[in-house]
């Protein structure tokens, strides 16, 4: 039986609709049961529809200027996500794959969320969620997500680090490994250099790792982030836990830019996404690549199959 996957349109002023249209035009998707959540007229910009589209209830004028921040585009992009999540919660689909939204557009549309991850957590009533980026060999789970650097000292706590380690451990089952090796980054250069550069490693990160080990998680560290990811490419660990956004995402995108996948962990649904934004600068130019979207679908399919398998339940 084919896995049922819903793709959300993303911001209609960006490249989301274009890459979805290219996905169906350029690739054989017969192995999946895919439905698109979006506005049909937007996809008709690119030609005749050859895929199923489920439309959210939207009463606006359906005028979405290409390449521009606007509230209407923000509103409809979030309505698409909301509809897809409802379908997943009702078990009418097995996973959702999201095209990119624009943070400024959703903000002026009245949504108080910094991104997809936080909105998905809100819709599903989830508190202990984590953001994961999946590349070819590098898989990274973040302790903090879309947080300003100046706020990190308050947000990196023993509890938040332990939560990320637990979610990284649980993510192993989605990728065929119920006991993954979790390597944890330090916060400071050289992982604090035994306290010479900072003490967060000794006061916060090491105790979190020790707590994880007590409950049977194969976690080690903290390691200097500047060398951990190079070791990861050689098979040192299965998943890395990074303290903040750029620490974890730069290595993934260096390795797999345009072909990486964003996964939200510890939700009651499976959600994957592309590794790029709305790309307003190239919207409407027919040059955006659909390959990250294709990878997100393939990753969702793998995750669904592993969860369905009794071996990983």
């Amino acid at each position: 039986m084919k896995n049922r996957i819903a793709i959300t349109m993303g911001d209609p002023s960006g490249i989301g609709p274009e890459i979805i249209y290219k996905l169906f035009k350029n690739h054989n998707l017969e192995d999946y049961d895919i439905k698109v959540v979006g506005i049909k007229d937007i996809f008709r910009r690119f030609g005749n529809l050859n895929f199923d589209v489920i439309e959210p209830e939207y009463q606006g004028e359906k005028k979405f200027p290409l390449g521009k921040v606007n509230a209407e585009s923000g509103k409809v992009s979030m309505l698409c996500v909301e509809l897809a999540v409802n379908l997943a919660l009702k078990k009418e689909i097995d996973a959702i794959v999201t095209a990119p939204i624009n943070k400024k557009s959703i903000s002026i549309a009245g949504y108080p969320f910094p991104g997809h991850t936080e909105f998905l957590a809100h819709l599903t009533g989830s508190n202990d969620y984590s953001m994961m980026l999946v590349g070819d060999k590098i898989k990274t789970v973040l302790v903090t997500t879309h947080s300003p650097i100046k706020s990190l000292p308050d947000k990196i706590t023993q509890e938040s680090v332990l939560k990320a380690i637990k979610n990284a451990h649980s993510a192993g089952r989605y990728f065929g490994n119920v006991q993954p090796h979790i390597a944890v980054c330090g916060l400071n250069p050289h992982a604090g250099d035994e306290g010479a550069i900072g003490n967060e490693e000794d006061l916060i990160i090491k105790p979190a790792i020790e707590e994880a080990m007590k409950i049977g998680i194969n976690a080690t560290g903290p390691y200097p982030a500047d060398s951990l990811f190079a070791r990861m490419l050689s098979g040192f660990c299965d998943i890395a836990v990074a303290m903040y956004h750029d620490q974890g995402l730069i290595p993934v995108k260096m390795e797999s830019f345009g072909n990486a996948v964003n996964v939200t962990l510890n939700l009651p649904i499976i959600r994957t996404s592309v590794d790029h934004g709305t790309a307003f600068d190239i919207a409407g130019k027919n040059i955006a690549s659909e390959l990250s979207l294709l990878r997100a679908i393939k990753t969702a399919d793998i995750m669904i199959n592993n969860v369905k398998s009794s071996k990983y339940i």
Side-chain angles (χ1 to χ4, degrees):
M1 183 176 178
K2 298 178 182 179
N3 288 326
R4 304 163 300 169
I5 299 172
I7 306 175
T8 60
M9 176 181 64
D11 191 301
S13 295
I15 62 172
E18 177 185 329
I19 62 175
I20 291 172
Y21 193 89
K22 286 180 176 178
L23 177 78
F24 287 91
K25 180 182 178 181
N26 298 335
H27 301 276
N28 182 350
L29 303 173
E30 293 182 355
D31 290 340
Y32 319 102
D33 178 5
I34 297 179
K35 292 180 172 58
V36 176
V37 182
I39 305 296
K40 292 179 182 179
D41 288 345
I42 293 172
F43 294 107
R44 291 193 178 106
R45 294 172 176 172
F46 310 101
N48 296 325
L49 289 181
N50 63 343
F51 49 87
D52 295 329
V53 179
I54 303 171
E55 293 194 308
E57 292 186 9
Y58 176 70
Q59 305 301 322
E61 297 183 24
K62 297 184 180 179
K63 293 182 179 179
F64 311 105
L66 281 172
K68 294 182 179 179
V69 170
N70 68 97
E72 293 303 306
S73 292
K75 173 73 172 179
V76 76
S77 67
M78 296 297 257
L79 290 175
C80 291
V81 174
E82 190 169 3
L83 176 54
V85 169
N86 287 337
L87 293 173
L89 290 174
K90 292 189 291 186
K91 308 298 183 184
E92 295 181 18
I93 58 172
D94 300 305
I96 68 172
V97 175
T98 57
I101 59 175
N102 182 275
K103 293 176 174 59
K104 181 65 174 178
S105 292
I106 66 172
S107 176
I108 62 177
Y111 289 87
F113 304 98
H116 261 124
T117 303
E118 295 81 6
F119 187 49
L120 290 163
H122 167 74
L123 292 174
T124 58
S126 304
N127 294 316
D128 294 330
Y129 57 90
S130 293
M131 179 177 173
M132 180 181 197
L133 266 290
V134 178
D136 292 328
K137 294 182 179 180
I138 295 178
K139 296 180 178 68
T140 304
V141 174
L142 303 181
V143 173
T144 61
T145 52
H146 303 106
S147 300
I149 294 294
K150 66 181 180 180
S151 73
L152 294 182
D154 293 330
K155 294 190 174 184
I156 296 176
T157 65
Q158 185 174 332
E159 292 75 17
S160 65
V161 174
L162 181 59
K163 178 194 75 172
I165 295 172
K166 287 180 176 178
N167 286 342
H169 172 77
S170 297
R173 70 185 183 119
Y174 289 121
F175 300 98
N177 185 352
V178 294
Q179 192 64 25
H181 174 196
I182 311 300
V184 183
C185 292
L187 171 64
N188 299 295
H190 306 294
D193 205 1
E194 298 184 353
I197 300 177
N199 60 10
E200 285 85 359
E201 285 75 16
D202 288 332
L203 298 181
I204 297 171
I205 301 174
K206 284 182 181 179
I209 294 170
E210 291 167 359
E211 285 298 312
M213 294 173 65
K214 288 178 183 178
I215 58 177
I217 295 175
N218 182 16
T220 60
Y223 300 101
D226 62 353
S227 59
L228 173 60
F229 293 100
R231 298 175 68 189
M232 194 174 189
L233 289 174
S234 301
F236 172 69
C237 62
D238 300 298
I239 302 172
V241 168
M243 294 298 113
Y244 57 94
H245 186 278
D246 286 10
Q247 186 186 60
L249 267 63
I250 289 173
V252 176
K253 293 193 176 186
M254 283 290 291
E255 180 211 21
S256 303
F257 189 74
N259 197 34
V261 178
N262 184 338
V263 178
T264 307
L265 301 176
N266 205 30
L267 299 179
I269 62 174
I270 290 174
R271 177 263 180 162
T272 67
S273 184
V274 295
D275 71 341
H276 56 76
T278 50
F280 279 176
D281 57 323
I282 62 171
K285 297 181 179 179
N286 197 33
I287 59 176
S289 171
E290 76 280 12
L291 294 182
S292 180
L293 181 61
L294 179 63
R295 177 76 181 275
I297 291 168
K298 291 181 176 181
T299 300
D301 190 59
I302 290 170
M303 294 171 69
I304 295 165
N305 288 336
N306 280 330
V307 170
K308 285 182 176 179
S309 171
S310 59
K311 182 178 180 181
Y312 298 118
I313 293 177

